[in-house]
Amino acid sequence: MGWAIALHGGAGDIPHSLPPDRRLPREAGLRHCLDVGIAALKAHKHPLDVVELVVRELENYPHFNAGKGSVLTSSGTVEMEASIMDGKSKKCGAVSGLSTVVNAVSLARLVMEKTPHIYLGFHGAEAFAREQGVETADPSYFITPENIERLKQAQDANRVQIDYTQPVQKEAKDAAATIPNGDSQIGTVGCVAVDSEGNLASATSTGTYANHLCAVSATGKGEAMIRGTVARDVAAVMEFKGLSLKEAAAYVIDQVPPGNAGLVAVSSTGEIATVFNTTGMFRACASEDGYSEVAIWDSPL
C-alpha cells in the first residue's frame, strides 16, 4: 500500500491532429498539477487537501474547461461548478452556476464543512461565497480569447463546440450543423488521491464519488455520467462483484455508450485506473512506487 494520485483535464473527441499550440500547454499543465499533488502527498497532506489543491491549480490554468478558461454559455458568460468528497466519512459538497468565485472547488469544500447541505447553486452559492470571504473576481477574469473565438465558431456553425473540437471552417458550417451530436462531449477537470493509510478523496464536477474502497472522478458528457451513475458504480462493482479497481472501471465505462465517458480512479490499496471510451482523455497519474504517466490517447506521451 502506498499513496497514489490521478487527475484529468477532460475526455472527448480529442483529435490526434490536435495542434501543438493547443496540446503542449495542456500537457505542461497536467505535469505541473501532477507535481503539485505528488509534493502534497509526500508532505503527508490529507487526500482531501490534495485533491482540492490540485483542482485549484487546474481551475487557475486557462487551458482547461474550469475556472479561468471555462467554456462559455451561449450568452458569453461562465457558469462554473465543482464537487468534492471524502471517502472515509462520505461527506461531500458541490456548487454550480458560479460566475465570480475564483476556485469553485474550495467553495464546494466549504459547503461540505460549513453547512448542513450538500449542494448550493447560482445566487445562493454566490452569497455563501461572500459570507465565507473566498476569493472572487470580475466575470471577465474567467473568459479567454480562445473561448470567445470558440463560441463565435459554434454560433456560426450552429453547433455546440466545446474545448478540443477542431475549429469549424465557415464553408463547412452547413455540413457541421447536420452531424448528430456534433460536439466534442468534453468534461471539465478532476483529481483523486489516496494516502499511505488508505484515506481517499475525490474532487471534480462531472461525476464524483469516494468511499472506503476507491475515489473516482468521471468526465465526458455529463448527461451520460448521470444516467450511468458512473462514479458510484465503480465503487459498487468493486464492493458487490468483488472486482479490482481496474476491472470495475473498465466494466462501468463499457456500459456507457461509446464516445461519452472517461474516468480516473484510485483504490485504498494504491491501484490506479484511467479508462475512457472517447477518442482521448487528458490525464496524469503517479504512485509511490515511482510510476508516473502523462497521456492523452492510448499511449503515454
Side-chain angles (χ1 to χ4, degrees), residues 100-185:
T100 70
V101 176
V102 172
N103 293 115
V105 67
S106 292
L107 189 64
R109 184 169 182 179
L110 287 170
V111 171
M112 178 183 75
E113 295 180 338
K114 303 292 186 180
T115 80
H117 310 296
I118 289 176
Y119 164 79
L120 292 176
F122 296 89
H123 299 302
E126 291 279 353
F128 178 66
R130 292 191 294 271
E131 291 173 5
Q132 295 299 311
V134 302
E135 184 180 4
T136 59
D138 186 88
S140 62
Y141 164 83
F142 305 96
I143 300 173
T144 66
E146 182 182 24
N147 280 348
I148 291 174
E149 179 61 27
R150 182 170 292 111
L151 176 60
K152 290 178 179 177
Q153 293 171 345
Q155 292 171 334
D156 187 53
N158 191 30
R159 62 180 270 182
V160 177
Q161 185 170 325
I162 317 179
D163 257 1
Y164 314 119
T165 309
Q166 292 285 33
V168 177
Q169 302 300 319
K170 289 183 180 297
E171 60 270 19
K173 67 178 183 180
D174 292 335
T178 64
I179 300 174
N181 298 316
D183 62 67
S184 58
Q185 316 289 355

Side-chain angles (χ1 to χ4, degrees), residues 240-270:
F240 301 122
K241 293 180 72 72
L243 300 186
S244 69
L245 177 71
K246 290 183 178 179
E247 292 170 334
Y251 174 85
V252 171
I253 290 297
D254 190 53
Q255 307 306 304
V256 181
N260 282 276
L263 65 82
V264 297
V266 294
S267 73
S268 61
T269 58

Side-chain angles (χ1 to χ4, degrees), residues 27-28 41 51 69 88 94 105 163 169 214 217 243 266 292-293:
E27 292 175 5
L41 285 165
V51 298
K88 181 172 290 186
V105 67
D163 257 1
Q169 302 300 319
C214 65
S217 176
L243 300 186
V266 294
S292 179
E293 177 185 85

Side-chain angles (χ1 to χ4, degrees), residues 30-65:
L30 290 171
R31 290 190 178 95
H32 166 71
C33 293
L34 181 63
D35 288 342
V36 167
I38 290 172
L41 285 165
K42 286 183 175 180
H44 306 292
K45 297 287 187 182
H46 190 281
L48 201 59
D49 297 323
V50 175
V51 298
E52 180 188 1
L53 180 63
V54 170
V55 171
R56 283 177 62 94
E57 290 292 314
L58 289 163
E59 289 174 336
N60 293 339
Y61 211 76
H63 297 286
F64 294 114
N65 176 18

Side-chain angles (χ1 to χ4, degrees), residues 71-121:
V71 166
L72 305 182
T73 67
S74 59
S75 59
T77 62
V78 295
E79 293 181 354
M80 298 169 288
E81 61 187 12
S83 56
I84 192 167
M85 186 167 186
D86 175 63
K88 181 172 290 186
S89 66
K90 292 188 181 178
K91 291 182 178 179
C92 53
V95 290
S96 70
L98 301 179
S99 59
T100 70
V101 176
V102 172
N103 293 115
V105 67
S106 292
L107 189 64
R109 184 169 182 179
L110 287 170
V111 171
M112 178 183 75
E113 295 180 338
K114 303 292 186 180
T115 80
H117 310 296
I118 289 176
Y119 164 79
L120 292 176

